[in-house]
């Protein structure tokens, strides 16, 4: 195996588009967010909403798409760093030269532009089918009651909502194809030091990053939804947002666990072969009444037994207690945000209604 100090990392579609602008991720996110907010204000003006009394629910619902899109754009470089860290740390384990390793990365579906465009388009179509802005059912009652010309708000939802759902579809595709990438890498021969599994832990951190970012986005969206209704659309949307990252996390960890279990089995087989050989030699020395040789073999036998116990205690799951704790806390985040939101809204209603 040839180790490489630097692996030429392929990039995803959005990463390539942002890098072509030669602008930082922060500036791109802020520009996109500002354009969408100005689009919202312009649509509200053309729809006649600005002439009506100020309505907080309207603007909360309208700002949902810019906020979530900016959130997605700001978190993508974080996932990029976690993915590249996992690949870099995994590289020394692969029994192949640099060219073969990079060709293997390039074949990953995560970096297939045609499939990425398909995922982007499918996400847009699927999201708009859930929102259904063209028949006004995707708009809140507040939007319809305030807008004298709601077709402008429909246009806003078509563009902003389509961009949001397209990025979501692309994120889901990238997560699932990233799962295939790391699973495929682990199907090749590896040099694993069974008592040091730290090179595999970045895969767990990448999987955790996906879970935290997806669930964090769903929790953030709860702050901008005027009224939470448990209809089919909401259940499907939030079910996808929560179940996809959790599924990716555990399937990725399952694949890595199988790699660790196979490495432990090989190591234990080797140790037991040495134990059998040491035991036979010990019996032979005892039968020949050679105590000085038997004592040396007994020490070797004890060392192999201790090493066997050490290998047995190696954890079979690559995540640490910190990763496991953060995953549990992240899954509870939407519930915590919803409870805090409802409590704050109840307090505000009581404060407004009080004489």
């Amino acid at each position: 195996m040839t180790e490489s100090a630097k692996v030429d990392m392929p990039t995803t579609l959005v990463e390539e588009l942002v890098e072509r602008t030669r602008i930082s991720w922060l500036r791109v996110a802020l520009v996109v967010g500002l354009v969408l907010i100005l689009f919202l204000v312009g649509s509200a003006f053309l729809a006649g909403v600005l002439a009506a009394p100020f309505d907080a629910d309207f603007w909360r619902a309208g700002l949902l798409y810019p906020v979530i899109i900016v959130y997605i754009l700001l978190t993508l470089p974080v996932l990029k760093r976690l993915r590249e860290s996992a690949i870099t740390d995994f590289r020394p384990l692969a029994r192949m030269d640099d060219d073969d390793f990079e060709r293997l990365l390039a074949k990953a579906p995560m970096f297939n532009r045609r499939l990425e465009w398909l995922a982007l388009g499918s996400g847009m179509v699927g999201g708009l089918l859930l929102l259904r802005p063209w028949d006004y059912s995707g708009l809140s009652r507040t939007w319809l009651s305030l807008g004298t010309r709601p077709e402008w708000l429909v246009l806003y939802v078509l563009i902003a909502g389509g961009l949001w759902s397209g990025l979501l579809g692309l994120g889901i595709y990238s997560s699932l194809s990233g799962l295939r990438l790391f699973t495929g890498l682990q199907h090749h021969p590896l040099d694993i030091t069974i008592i040091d599994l730290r090179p595999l832990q970045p895969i767990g951190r990448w999987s955790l990053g996906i879970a935290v970012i997806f669930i964090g986005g769903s929790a953030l969206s709860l702050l901008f939804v005027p009224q939470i209704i448990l209809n089919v659309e909401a259940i499907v949307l939030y079910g996808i947002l929560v179940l996809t990252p959790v599924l990716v996390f555990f399937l990725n960890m399952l694949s890595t666990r199988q790699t660790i279990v196979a490495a432990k089995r090989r190591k234990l087989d080797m140790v037991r072969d040495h134990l059998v050989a040491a035991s036979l030699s010990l019996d032979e020395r005892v039968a020949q009444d050679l105590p000085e040789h038997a004592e040396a073999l007994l020490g070797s036998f004890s060392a192999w037994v201790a090493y066997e116990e050490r290998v047995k205690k190696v954890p079979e799951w690559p995540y640490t207690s910190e990763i496991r704790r953060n995953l549990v806390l992240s899954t509870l985040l939407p519930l915590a945000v919803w409870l805090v939101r409802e409590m704050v809204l109840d307090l505000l209603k009581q404060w407004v209604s009080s004489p």
Side-chain angles (χ1 to χ4, degrees):
M1 179 191 67
T2 304
E3 295 189 6
S4 175
K6 180 177 176 58
V7 177
D8 186 15
M9 299 288 180
T11 57
T12 63
L13 173 63
V14 178
E15 292 166 3
E16 181 181 347
L17 293 176
V18 173
E19 289 175 359
R20 284 184 179 182
T21 65
R22 300 184 182 277
I23 304 175
S24 67
W25 281 91
L26 176 60
R27 291 182 178 179
V28 169
L30 292 179
V31 168
V32 171
L34 180 60
V35 170
L36 290 175
I37 291 174
L38 292 176
F39 183 27
L40 171 62
V41 174
S43 300
F45 172 76
L46 294 172
V49 175
L50 295 183
F54 177 80
D55 189 282
D57 287 345
F58 170 82
W59 293 106
R60 283 171 56 198
L63 289 172
L64 171 64
Y65 300 121
V67 169
I68 297 300
I69 290 172
V70 169
Y71 172 82
I72 293 174
L73 292 176
L74 290 177
T75 55
L76 284 179
V78 177
L79 282 180
K80 181 176 183 290
R81 288 194 297 270
L82 290 174
R83 184 188 72 233
E84 292 182 350
S85 174
I87 293 175
T88 300
D89 287 1
F90 188 88
R91 172 65 189 100
L93 303 179
R95 297 178 184 174
M96 61 182 72
D97 59 33
D98 295 339
D99 292 338
D100 289 340
F101 187 78
E102 291 184 1
R103 279 194 293 268
L104 186 62
L105 290 180
K107 292 179 181 178
M110 177 185 293
F111 311 112
N112 187 311
R113 292 291 179 265
R114 186 173 300 176
L115 293 179
E116 286 183 290
W117 281 111
L118 179 61
L120 180 66
S122 301
M124 295 178 68
V125 172
L128 292 177
L129 288 176
L130 285 176
L131 296 174
R132 299 197 308 274
W134 46 84
D135 63 2
Y136 303 156
S137 61
L139 303 177
S140 69
R141 293 181 179 179
T142 303
W143 287 43
L144 294 177
S145 63
L146 291 175
T148 58
R149 293 181 295 278
E151 62 273 7
W152 288 103
L153 302 180
V154 170
L155 179 63
Y156 172 76
V157 176
L158 280 172
I159 296 178
L163 179 59
W164 161 75
S165 57
L167 288 175
L168 177 61
L170 193 58
I172 293 173
Y173 167 78
S174 297
S175 301
L176 294 177
S177 58
L179 168 64
R180 290 184 58 188
L181 167 64
F182 288 110
T183 301
L185 288 176
Q186 293 174 77
H187 285 166
H188 290 76
L190 303 175
D191 283 332
I192 294 181
T193 303
I194 196 61
I195 60 175
D196 183 15
L197 299 177
R198 287 176 295 179
L200 295 176
Q201 290 179 3
I203 298 179
R205 287 193 290 270
W206 172 79
S207 303
L208 175 65
I210 291 177
V212 171
I213 287 173
F214 267 78
I215 297 174
S218 64
L220 180 62
S221 68
L222 295 176
L223 299 176
F224 292 87
V225 178
Q227 185 179 4
I228 301 176
I229 302 175
L230 292 180
N231 52 23
V232 175
E233 291 82 359
I235 293 174
V236 170
L237 178 59
Y238 282 96
I240 291 174
L241 288 174
V242 174
L243 292 180
T244 297
V246 174
L247 181 66
V248 169
F249 179 85
F250 282 107
L251 287 180
N252 213 2
M253 293 301 95
L254 180 61
S255 175
T256 308
R257 177 184 180 273
Q258 292 172 347
T259 299
I260 296 174
V261 169
K264 283 183 65 175
R265 187 182 301 114
R266 290 193 299 269
K267 185 65 65 174
L268 287 173
D269 289 342
M270 181 271 292
V271 171
R272 285 160 187 165
D273 288 342
H274 283 282
L275 283 174
V276 170
S279 178
L280 293 175
S281 298
L282 182 62
D283 292 341
E284 182 180 349
R285 295 297 186 275
V286 171
Q288 294 176 358
D289 194 19
L290 300 172
E292 64 281 358
H293 294 89
E295 184 176 353
L297 284 172
L298 187 60
S300 175
F301 187 85
S302 300
W304 283 114
V305 169
Y307 186 65
E308 181 185 33
E309 293 300 317
R310 176 68 181 87
V311 173
K312 288 181 179 179
K313 292 180 181 179
V314 171
E316 296 180 352
W317 293 95
Y319 52 70
T320 63
S321 58
E322 180 182 1
I323 292 177
R324 184 171 59 249
R325 181 175 62 254
N326 290 336
L327 177 66
V328 173
L329 292 177
S330 67
T331 56
L332 297 177
L333 181 61
L335 177 61
V337 170
W338 180 78
L339 291 175
V340 171
R341 163 203 159 109
E342 295 302 311
M343 291 174 59
V344 172
L345 290 178
D346 287 341
L347 291 175
L348 289 176
K349 291 178 181 177
Q350 294 176 11
W351 179 72
V352 173
S353 61
S354 62

